[in-house]
Amino acid sequence: MFLSRIVRSVAASNHVKTCLTAGSPALRILNNRLKSDLHEPDYLISLEPDEPVYDCLNFQIKGYDYTLLESCQKEIHRYAEIMGITVDECWATPAQQLKVQRFKPASTAVDSEYNLQVYERNVQVTDVPAWALGTLLRVSRALLPEGCTLTVHEHLPEHEEIRYVPDNQLLELKQQLEDMGGSRADKKKKK
């Protein structure tokens, strides 16, 4: 505030006005009102709208090449941290097995058969300001390799369950135990 007053008083003389160029910082200070020059009551400051913040978002990348997905996920993680966005977790989910068949023209005979694996990587970010989300999305799309897809969605409990590979042997043993009448602790509770 003191500096702006000095610049205004010096600029008042005709000699200095002729020396100021169009792009000089002194002229910009002279023309623009500084925020400290404007008095606003406290109740107006408290009425400013809050900046919208997204709680928990998952950046989900899917593709057929695991190494490309891994490097893309690493770069998204790095850019999010550079932007000051909190990266909560990063994880991979088990690959999905796809069987693709190509048929001969005008017949039901199989011409060729392909076994594909679709890999998935996730980056979970929390407390993302709305202004930063758009920039992070643009950067993520620019980093995305060919043949890969990017989806952004809110984190749900279903996304947590998909991460883990079920132990089929343990599930079979639990089913056998239920078929035989349950565990001993369950039998004692019934009595």
Side-chain angles (χ1 to χ4, degrees), residues 3-171:
L3 178 65
S4 64
R5 286 183 185 164
I6 291 174
V7 170
R8 286 182 188 147
S9 64
V10 169
S13 68
N14 290 335
H15 176 66
V16 176
K17 280 187 179 179
T18 57
C19 295
L20 291 175
T21 60
S24 69
L27 187 61
R28 273 188 263 133
I29 291 174
L30 185 63
N31 290 336
N32 295 335
R33 276 197 326 195
L34 298 176
K35 203 168 196 176
S36 61
D37 291 344
L38 180 66
H39 172 71
E40 290 185 355
D42 292 337
Y43 67 88
L44 286 179
I45 295 171
S46 65
L47 292 177
E48 287 182 2
D50 291 334
E51 182 178 276
V53 175
Y54 294 95
D55 290 333
C56 188
L57 296 174
N58 290 346
F59 282 71
Q60 183 183 63
I61 313 162
K62 287 187 177 185
Y64 300 107
D65 191 356
Y66 186 78
T67 55
L68 283 177
L69 287 181
E70 187 80 18
S71 68
C72 182
Q73 177 262 327
K74 181 179 83 172
E75 289 298 315
I76 291 173
H77 185 155
R78 188 173 70 87
Y79 276 107
E81 285 183 343
I82 288 171
M83 292 175 63
I85 298 172
T86 306
V87 178
D88 212 24
E89 280 187 274
C90 295
W91 69 88
T93 57
Q96 295 176 344
Q97 306 288 334
L98 295 178
K99 184 178 180 180
V100 179
Q101 296 177 339
R102 196 174 101 198
F103 296 103
K104 291 181 180 177
S107 72
T108 58
V110 176
D111 185 27
S112 58
E113 187 173 314
Y114 304 100
N115 292 318
L116 300 176
Q117 294 184 345
V118 178
Y119 299 101
E120 178 183 327
R121 296 290 300 181
N122 290 282
V123 179
Q124 186 178 69
V125 292
T126 54
D127 301 329
V128 183
W131 62 267
L133 181 62
T135 306
L136 186 61
L137 282 173
R138 284 189 206 100
V139 168
S140 300
R141 279 191 286 173
L143 291 171
L144 200 64
E146 280 188 38
C148 297
T149 59
L150 172 71
T151 54
V152 179
H153 51 268
E154 289 187 51
H155 185 70
L156 299 172
E158 296 89 46
H159 301 130
E160 191 75 26
E161 294 170 7
I162 293 172
R163 294 172 58 175
Y164 304 106
V165 178
D167 188 359
N168 291 331
Q169 187 178 11
L170 180 63
L171 294 174

